[in-house]
Amino acid sequence: MNNMLDEDDILLPDEQFDRTYKFSSQQRQAIDTIQQESQLQGKDIQKIGWEISIRRTRSNYRMERLKSYDTYRIQNEDESKPLGELIDMLQNNELKFSKTDCNCFYKFKLNSRQTSCGFTHFQLRHLLFSLSPNDVYYMSNYGIHHWNNKNITTLQSDGKYGIDKRVMDLRVGYGIIKDVNYLQQQNIKGISISTINGNFPYIVAGGFKGEIIIKNIENENIIYNNRITFENNSIVNYIDFSKNSNNLLIANNDGYIRYYDLPTMDIISHKKFNYCINNSVLQKTINGNLIIAIGDAHDVIVYDKITNKEVFTLKGHFDYSFAADWNPIKEYQFATGSQDRTTCIWDLRMPNKAYCKLPAILGAIRSVHYSEDGRFLCSAEPADFLHLYDVESNFEREQQLDVFGEIVGVSFSKGDGGKSLFVGMYDRQYKSVMEFNRFVPSNCLDEMLI
């Protein structure tokens, strides 16, 4: 991952931001959007005032975004190919274009603009996760916040009610941070969170200085609060859990993948690479022992967590990769997302090449996630577009979700097979958490009339 950061790379939390002044008095009367407003009244699902605020039609603004959005890629070695190897893949018929007509796997349910999602690095977009069908956690203002889609209000720690609840506060002076010297020296007001994840009963935050903070939400205890590395290049890029929450896997910019026991945080093993590791994911099947490792290299490495030996070196991407996930049902299949603007599907029974390559529209693939039942794969670009693939159709069928804003994270719901898809959106005016529900044709009309 690019460690040379400037003001455009890091989006520090908006401390001066006051929710009271986020919306005009007219907008404040109806901030959120629900399914009925969109389907029956034709309202924009993000409550964007196209004719009044933007003064363009949605379609015109979409064309402007497609032309002007800054797509970040590592510079190609071959300057004669300004658009990179994506053109080569197109000419060689390597890309698979799924059928998008009339596919509706997930339908819009809710957009909550009273939540305030954020992100801190343009390449790291794993800042939202779900622990149940109703409980969503996201990063905002040096902390992790909890939002419940069933409760209009949530009980706060001070006894008052609000839209969401800060469940992990990493601001200086609020008790969790052990060593504030390195923060105060840089005049930082808290731990800059680079990634978050959770698997009941644990939620975890990783930081730019190698910080790992783990909280048990059952008893509200912080069970670990320390820096796992003191290297200059120490950003925590991704955190993954074993299926039963007994182990934690951490991918770091210092080139290490570290494998820990939970809740003791005793290190079980580690593996060193000669480049930054941007993502590492544990196999989720019962007897799965394999780990995916991707980073500032083109190859995808698969190694055994018991022996630490590399089993496969897979070639197919042409830029750095940041997203990966195993199919929870098919132990031989997984997906990776790259800055080459493709999602690669891999089948370890045929490791010579990618099973298929699925193209993006706007930019890099920053996040990929399978639903809990393995039926769908969500592939998210850095902004505006999410791709939902029907796994059972061999990725022949696709639904595209077209929104506006930076996508800070995506997560299928847990505990129900992945019937809901949650999306964190960042925009100076239109920050929100969006919820999409799996489409069930038999009760679609009934739901619209509720």
Side-chain angles (χ1 to χ4, degrees):
M1 187 194 72
N2 182 5
N3 197 48
M4 301 301 292
L5 306 177
D6 54 33
E7 292 179 356
D8 294 328
D9 295 332
I10 298 180
L11 300 177
L12 293 177
D14 242 340
E15 292 90 356
Q16 78 277 10
F17 182 75
D18 185 346
R19 292 189 183 187
T20 305
Y21 300 103
K22 184 177 182 181
F23 305 102
S24 66
S25 58
Q26 182 179 2
Q27 289 174 317
R28 208 178 299 129
Q29 295 176 5
I31 295 174
D32 295 351
T33 314
I34 59 175
Q35 178 186 8
Q36 289 87 341
E37 290 180 291
S38 172
Q39 292 184 338
L40 300 181
Q41 300 175 26
K43 290 187 177 181
D44 185 271
I45 62 174
Q46 294 176 271
K47 281 273 172 68
I48 299 176
W50 293 108
E51 303 299 332
I52 298 174
S53 302
I54 310 299
R55 297 182 180 179
R56 296 175 181 81
T57 64
R58 191 182 195 279
S59 58
N60 286 343
Y61 189 67
R62 166 56 66 214
M63 294 304 298
E64 291 181 22
R65 288 273 286 184
L66 290 173
K67 293 177 182 178
S68 63
Y69 188 83
D70 185 14
T71 299
Y72 180 85
R73 291 195 69 222
I74 301 300
Q75 188 177 24
N76 292 295
E77 296 178 2
D78 186 351
E79 295 294 341
S80 67
K81 300 178 181 179
L83 296 181
E85 288 80 359
L86 194 63
I87 290 179
D88 291 345
M89 288 187 280
L90 183 63
Q91 292 174 343
N92 295 334
N93 295 319
E94 293 181 39
L95 295 179
K96 182 171 186 173
F97 291 90
S98 304
K99 299 176 182 178
T100 59
D101 295 342
C102 301
N103 290 326
C104 182
F105 311 137
Y106 284 77
K107 62 184 183 300
F108 171 76
K109 181 182 180 182
L110 174 66
N111 182 53
S112 175
R113 283 175 61 191
Q114 298 177 76
T115 54
S116 184
C117 293
F119 71 104
T120 48
H121 193 285
F122 72 105
Q123 291 171 310
L124 303 179
R125 304 300 181 92
H126 299 100
L127 293 165
L128 176 144
F129 63 87
S130 167
L131 288 186
S132 77
N134 309 120
D135 296 291
V136 179
Y137 297 79
Y138 63 91
M139 190 280 291
S140 180
N141 193 21
Y142 302 112
I144 298 179
H145 291 242
H146 170 227
W147 174 72
N148 186 291
N149 64 355
K150 296 296 183 184
N151 297 333
I152 298 176
T153 57
T154 303
L155 183 63
Q156 307 293 309
S157 57
D158 60 3
K160 298 179 181 180
Y161 284 87
I163 297 303
D164 59 6
K165 180 179 180 180
R166 186 191 292 266
V167 293
M168 185 183 288
D169 195 339
L170 301 182
R171 293 175 292 177
V172 172
Y174 285 81
I176 291 180
I177 299 176
K178 293 174 64 176
D179 179 13
V180 298
N181 290 330
Y182 75 98
L183 295 175
Q184 290 175 337
Q185 290 171 0
Q186 301 178 45
N187 197 28
I188 297 176
K189 297 183 178 181
I191 292 177
S192 294
I193 300 173
S194 54
T195 185
I196 64 174
N197 207 347
N199 201 27
F200 190 82
Y202 304 115
I203 61 173
V204 186
F208 275 69
K209 298 295 183 181
E211 303 98 338
I212 291 291
I213 302 92
I214 307 175
K215 182 175 183 177
N216 185 322
I217 59 175
E218 278 192 308
N219 55 27
E220 298 292 314
N221 290 335
I222 299 294
I223 68 168
Y224 188 81
N225 175 16
N226 218 327
R227 296 169 70 183
I228 62 171
T229 176
F230 291 86
E231 298 291 332
N232 291 330
N233 195 6
S234 59
I235 303 174
V236 178
N237 290 329
Y238 192 72
I239 299 164
D240 190 40
F241 287 85
S242 60
K243 187 177 179 65
N244 55 12
S245 291
N246 288 340
N247 302 107
L248 193 68
L249 191 71
I250 301 175
N252 199 276
N253 233 33
D254 65 4
Y256 278 95
I257 297 176
R258 296 173 175 90
Y259 186 45
Y260 294 91
D261 173 73
L262 278 177
T264 65
M265 280 300 284
D266 293 334
I267 190 161
I268 299 172
S269 65
H270 59 78
K271 188 171 179 64
K272 179 71 169 73
F273 294 80
N274 59 3
Y275 50 85
C276 300
I277 298 298
N278 299 326
N279 201 306
S280 59
V281 185
L282 289 155
Q283 206 170 18
K284 296 299 188 292
T285 50
I286 295 176
N287 298 317
N289 290 323
L290 300 180
I291 293 175
I292 307 165
I294 55 174
D296 286 3
H298 296 176
D299 293 345
V300 177
I301 305 299
V302 180
Y303 71 94
D304 191 296
K305 71 179 182 182
I306 305 298
T307 66
N308 245 18
K309 293 182 178 179
E310 296 180 10
V311 182
F312 297 100
T313 299
L314 307 176
K315 298 183 181 297
H317 283 303
F318 298 98
D319 207 324
Y320 299 169
S321 297
F322 284 81
D325 198 21
W326 287 97
N327 186 316
I329 306 301
K330 300 176 180 179
E331 62 181 9
Y332 52 83
Q333 185 186 97
F334 66 90
T336 55
S338 170
Q339 288 181 164
D340 66 11
R341 291 177 286 175
T342 67
T343 299
C344 278
I345 308 300
W346 305 93
D347 187 328
L348 293 181
R349 301 171 301 178
M350 300 176 287
N352 291 333
K353 64 177 183 178
Y355 178 75
C356 63
K357 295 181 181 181
L358 307 165
I361 296 173
L362 193 70
I365 299 299
R366 296 295 184 201
S367 181
V368 295
H369 290 283
Y370 282 92
S371 61
E372 198 175 42
D373 59 7
R375 288 186 58 190
F376 297 99
L377 174 72
C378 179
S379 179
E381 301 188 34
D384 294 12
F385 292 103
L386 299 100
H387 307 262
L388 287 162
Y389 299 101
D390 179 6
V391 178
E392 294 179 347
S393 73
N394 289 323
F395 305 92
E396 292 286 349
R397 300 176 63 219
E398 174 192 359
Q399 176 188 1
Q400 292 176 0
L401 299 180
D402 182 339
V403 293
F404 283 94
E406 299 290 321
I407 299 169
V408 308
V410 300
S411 177
F412 285 101
S413 56
K414 292 183 179 178
D416 62 354
K419 292 184 179 179
S420 294
L421 175 69
F422 300 101
V423 182
M425 302 297 301
Y426 173 84
D427 179 87
R428 293 187 184 277
Q429 179 69 20
Y430 298 100
K431 301 176 185 177
S432 69
V433 173
M434 306 186 77
E435 180 183 359
F436 298 84
N437 285 170
R438 192 173 294 185
F439 182 72
V440 182
S442 61
N443 64 3
C444 179
L445 181 60
D446 294 336
E447 289 182 1
M448 290 174 60
L449 297 177
I450 291 177

